[in-house]
Amino acid sequence: MTTLYDNLKDVFNYAKVPYELRDRQFLNKTGFAMSPSHAITTIQDVFRVSAFVKSIDKAIKDLQKIYPDETLHILYPACGPLAPLLVPLLAYYKANKIYNETQLKVTFIDIQEGAILSLVEILKVSGLDAFVKEIICADAVEYQSKEKIHLVVLEAMQHGFTKEGHLSISKHFVDLLDKDGIFLPQEVRVDAVLAIGEEEYNTQWKDADLVASHNMNPEIRDQRVVLGSILRVNLETLRGMEIMELNENTRLVKCATHTIPHFEENHDKRIMLFATNITIYEDEVLSEYDSGITHPLPNMDICINFIPKADKRVTDLYVASGDTITFYYKLVGLPGFLITKENLK
Ligand SMILES: C[S@@+](CC[C@H](N)C(=O)[O-])C[C@H]1O[C@@H](n2cnc3c(N)ncnc32)[C@H](O)[C@@H]1O
């Protein structure tokens, strides 16, 4: 992936992308649109790219059995300037004559003009134009199609399932996906975990050669207090998801309610983490710490069993063992979780 990145990082020059489009980043109504200059670096997130590539390959094989005589239409919203989850696979299929353009067609969508200009150039120089159905520069949630969609590949999130519009975009595409189609990732699960920050982020990695799930320290992991799952995003939950409209720009999804348990030691030292585990397809998973998108995110807006003497903020939530809290997911320009205390005294 590093070699691939080195070979592709000059794409903005090849594609003559104006400088102002390379660094442009903004919030739109569903989330943060990362700048193309930053988005090209995501190809270096090795486990993420390889798990998606293997998953897409397996999903295509399965879809060919479900739809034997059809050209498979793949949608890749929020694809970024390199579309790294699919372009290397298409190049491999072409070079090894595994699938051709009568078997697979792809619609790429990105909201950043600089990303689209780069992608057009990449597909052209790789000789992959024939696989392209459409390349669209638009907000993915505006996309409509009368044609069947067999496979959706989406990764538009940051750690703690925050900032980017993965949930809004997923919800939109689930309604467009054919009933036997496949949506990747199959499930994103976010858990709320109480951990001792110093041990979680520092001690546990002292002797590790790599920060990844297989190197997590079992003793430190056992010391975590797991409140439980707060959000599962899969076909079933997306189809049944109720969205509360607070106003034109703010929508909420009610997630889960949990009670803060009583715990003995370090009672005032625990912070809350949002820990993400992703099933991309069947046994292809991304566990905590395997990717930038599955690094547990500390939530510093909630203080558990302590009230800080300094740096108090009006947005802080003070809770104690025995309190019940409810998690909501905000569908706004900067998506993420919101927590409320149920038993306000
Ligand atoms: C971090 S990059 C991810 C690229 C790619 N999915 C990957 O796996 O590497 C995020 C991309 O999503 C695009 N994006 C974010 N929100 C979008 C939206 N609502 N519609 C279309 N593109 C969006 C951004 O412009 C950016 O290029």
Side-chain angles (χ1 to χ4, degrees):
M1 290 304 164
T2 310
T3 316
L4 203 52
Y5 173 71
D6 285 342
N7 292 337
L8 293 173
K9 70 181 182 331
D10 280 334
V11 61
F12 302 130
N13 292 332
Y14 300 135
K16 300 192 175 52
V17 178
Y19 281 94
E20 65 276 16
L21 294 184
R22 301 180 189 190
D23 294 328
R24 181 173 167 247
Q25 55 180 27
F26 55 91
L27 297 183
N28 82 335
K29 64 178 188 297
T30 54
F32 176 61
M34 185 186 283
S35 71
S37 312
H38 190 191
I40 57 165
T41 62
T42 65
I43 197 169
Q44 295 173 295
D45 195 349
V46 180
F47 290 147
R48 182 190 71 107
V49 175
S50 73
F52 264 98
V53 168
K54 285 189 232 159
S55 296
I56 296 168
D57 184 49
K58 283 190 203 173
I60 289 173
K61 281 198 189 89
D62 290 344
L63 287 166
Q64 283 218 313
K65 290 181 205 135
I66 304 170
Y67 304 97
D69 304 318
E70 299 185 25
T71 303
L72 296 179
H73 182 197
I74 304 172
L75 249 293
Y76 188 178
C79 58
L82 304 179
L85 308 181
L86 200 52
V87 165
L89 188 61
L90 292 178
Y92 172 78
Y93 288 160
K94 182 179 151 83
N96 294 284
K97 299 190 170 49
I98 295 173
Y99 299 117
N100 62 35
E101 63 274 15
T102 58
Q103 294 166 296
L104 303 177
K105 284 282 184 199
V106 185
T107 297
F108 297 90
I109 308 173
D110 201 285
I111 198 166
Q112 288 273 16
E113 197 184 335
I116 293 295
L117 291 171
S118 311
L119 180 62
V120 167
E121 189 65 22
I122 295 267
L123 292 165
K124 195 162 78 190
V125 297
S126 325
L128 297 173
D129 281 344
F131 285 105
V132 175
K133 185 174 189 65
E134 261 188 291
I135 302 179
I136 302 171
C137 185
D139 187 336
V141 298
E142 305 295 333
Y143 176 81
Q144 292 297 338
S145 172
K146 289 201 175 62
E147 295 190 38
K148 205 183 260 185
I149 297 172
H150 303 89
L151 174 63
V152 175
V153 177
L154 173 66
E155 192 281 275
M157 72 184 93
Q158 296 192 9
H159 63 324
F161 203 57
T162 56
K163 290 196 180 155
E164 297 182 34
H166 193 99
L167 186 56
S168 296
I169 302 172
S170 302
K171 179 87 182 114
H172 179 74
F173 280 93
V174 155
D175 294 338
L176 302 180
L177 183 70
D178 195 58
K179 82 171 179 20
D180 294 322
I182 295 177
F183 195 104
L184 301 181
Q186 280 182 312
E187 180 166 272
V188 179
R189 192 191 79 228
V190 187
D191 299 330
V193 170
L194 308 184
I196 299 159
E198 169 67 16
E199 296 193 353
E200 179 71 33
Y201 290 112
N202 193 13
T203 317
Q204 115 166 290
W205 306 109
K206 275 208 169 118
D207 301 319
D209 54 349
L210 182 72
V211 174
S213 60
H214 63 270
N215 280 336
M216 284 177 80
N217 180 311
E219 280 166 29
I220 292 176
R221 189 187 224 155
D222 288 349
Q223 282 172 25
R224 284 172 158 194
V225 173
V226 179
L227 288 191
S229 156
I230 52 172
L231 181 65
R232 284 175 188 269
V233 182
N234 57 42
L235 280 184
E236 196 186 336
T237 59
L238 284 165
R239 286 184 173 135
M241 192 169 275
E242 283 181 27
I243 296 179
M244 298 152 60
E245 298 262 355
L246 297 193
N247 61 42
E248 198 192 341
N249 299 315
T250 316
R251 296 177 309 144
L252 286 183
V253 177
K254 190 171 183 186
C255 299
T257 296
H258 291 292
T259 299
I260 310 276
H262 291 270
F263 37 88
E264 299 298 315
E265 304 129 34
N266 296 307
H267 66 281
D268 60 349
K269 292 205 180 112
R270 289 187 185 261
I271 53 171
M272 182 181 285
L273 315 181
F274 294 131
T276 310
N277 286 277
I278 306 178
T279 302
I280 303 179
Y281 192 56
E282 296 175 347
D283 55 351
E284 289 298 333
V285 296
L286 274 182
S287 302
E288 286 179 57
Y289 291 109
D290 287 342
S291 153
I293 60 175
T294 60
H295 267 246
L297 176 72
N299 174 9
M300 304 313 269
D301 294 335
I302 183 165
C303 303
I304 301 151
N305 288 339
F306 77 98
I307 295 184
K309 292 207 169 55
D311 193 28
K312 284 192 191 172
R313 290 166 294 166
V314 281
T315 50
D316 283 346
L317 181 67
Y318 302 118
V319 298
S321 295
D323 284 339
T324 298
I325 53 176
T326 295
F327 295 81
Y328 293 86
Y329 195 77
K330 296 175 288 174
L331 297 170
V332 291
L334 262 186
F337 291 97
L338 171 80
I339 310 175
T340 59
K341 187 158 117 178
E342 295 293 293
N343 48 348
L344 284 173
K345 289 168 188 142

